[in-house]
Amino acid sequence: NKKSNGIVVVHKRVLSSLPYDSIVRISGELLNSRTDCGDFGLDPVWLTHYHQLIHYKSQFGTVNVPKRDKIYSPLAEWCNEQRELHRKKKLSEVLIQKLNKIEFQLEKASGQVLSGDGLWNFRFNQLLQYKRETGTCNVPQIYTKNSSLGNWVSTQRVLYRNGKMPDERKERLNGIGFEWTRDKSKCAQLIDGVMI
């Protein structure tokens, strides 16, 4: 972080390495301190969500935020609000251009969800984030912050044991130190990402 003429500058690589809740707090602080940027005059709350979406895309490679993920559900709701405003022709051209710039789909088909490789990559990136925060890939199956991730990790182990894991996925998981058998002693010490 640098401060120059009262403006805080945060490098993208620092921002993208932080957990989501830190981005929410930091982006709000940054927007309150910005005075000479191209976003001048835009609603700070809208910009906060927009910057959260940019961070989300840098982490997961998509702007399709699933509603069922507890951590990101407020961002998913904001995305759906933008689509609804656009459908009702109440979204300004400036905001439409900003959303188009990050490849946000304003006319998402109803009920569209991530599946197949898209969902696998999404969960893999969540696992990377979990490992950055905890130092392990051993996500408890009952993980209240993100139960879908705990279930996904368990499913990967079952697929591997049954010989149904594609080689490319196996290599990617091996590359991050994924443990194919659950170490119960490590899981017992880790409750909701907090060592006990």
Side-chain angles (χ1 to χ4, degrees):
N1 296 354
K2 295 189 280 185
K3 195 161 188 170
S4 171
N5 296 330
I7 299 169
V8 178
V9 178
V10 177
H11 295 281
K12 280 185 181 179
R13 93 175 155 262
V14 172
L15 206 54
S16 66
S17 68
L18 296 172
Y20 178 75
D21 53 346
S22 296
I23 298 300
V24 172
R25 182 182 49 75
I26 289 171
S27 60
E29 291 171 7
L30 289 175
L31 290 170
N32 289 335
S33 68
R34 293 170 79 172
T35 57
D36 67 345
C37 61
D39 296 336
F40 184 76
L42 294 179
D43 177 27
V45 174
W46 191 92
L47 285 171
T48 297
H49 290 296
Y50 178 75
H51 287 284
Q52 291 166 3
L53 186 58
I54 290 171
H55 172 73
Y56 183 90
K57 183 179 181 182
S58 74
Q59 291 294 109
F60 302 114
T62 181
V63 291
N64 292 323
V65 184
K67 287 184 203 177
R68 63 181 177 249
D69 192 321
K70 289 180 185 177
I71 297 171
Y72 297 103
S73 61
L75 184 58
E77 288 175 24
W78 179 83
C79 290
N80 287 330
E81 287 172 14
Q82 302 317 297
R83 290 184 184 101
E84 185 63 21
L85 289 170
H86 181 259
R87 190 181 66 74
K88 292 179 177 180
K89 308 223 182 291
K90 293 184 177 182
L91 197 61
S92 76
E93 191 59 38
V94 171
L95 300 183
I96 291 170
Q97 287 175 3
K98 290 187 82 57
L99 291 168
N100 285 338
K101 185 176 177 182
I102 61 169
E103 300 172 343
F104 182 80
Q105 295 175 339
L106 284 164
E107 296 180 17
K108 185 175 178 182
S110 62
Q112 182 181 350
V113 294
L114 289 174
S115 61
D117 287 341
L119 180 59
W120 195 92
N121 288 325
F122 175 76
R123 294 287 178 231
F124 179 80
N125 285 322
Q126 285 185 323
L127 180 61
L128 285 174
Q129 181 68 29
Y130 180 88
K131 185 175 182 181
R132 278 193 289 270
E133 293 171 4
T134 65
T136 181
C137 291
N138 282 322
V139 182
Q141 193 165 1
I142 301 171
Y143 178 51
T144 56
K145 280 186 174 178
N146 186 346
S147 61
S148 297
L149 181 59
N151 290 331
W152 181 84
V153 166
S154 179
T155 300
Q156 302 316 298
R157 290 185 175 122
V158 170
L159 290 170
Y160 177 79
R161 270 195 313 270
N162 294 337
K164 295 182 179 180
M165 170 69 62
D167 289 338
E168 184 260 335
R169 290 181 178 180
K170 194 182 319 177
E171 288 172 18
R172 287 182 69 192
L173 289 166
N174 282 334
I176 63 167
F178 188 83
E179 296 176 33
W180 295 104
T181 56
R182 187 172 53 135
D183 185 341
K184 292 180 181 174
S185 66
K186 288 181 183 176
C187 287
Q189 296 173 357
L190 194 64
I191 303 295
D192 287 340
V194 178
M195 295 299 281
I196 57 169

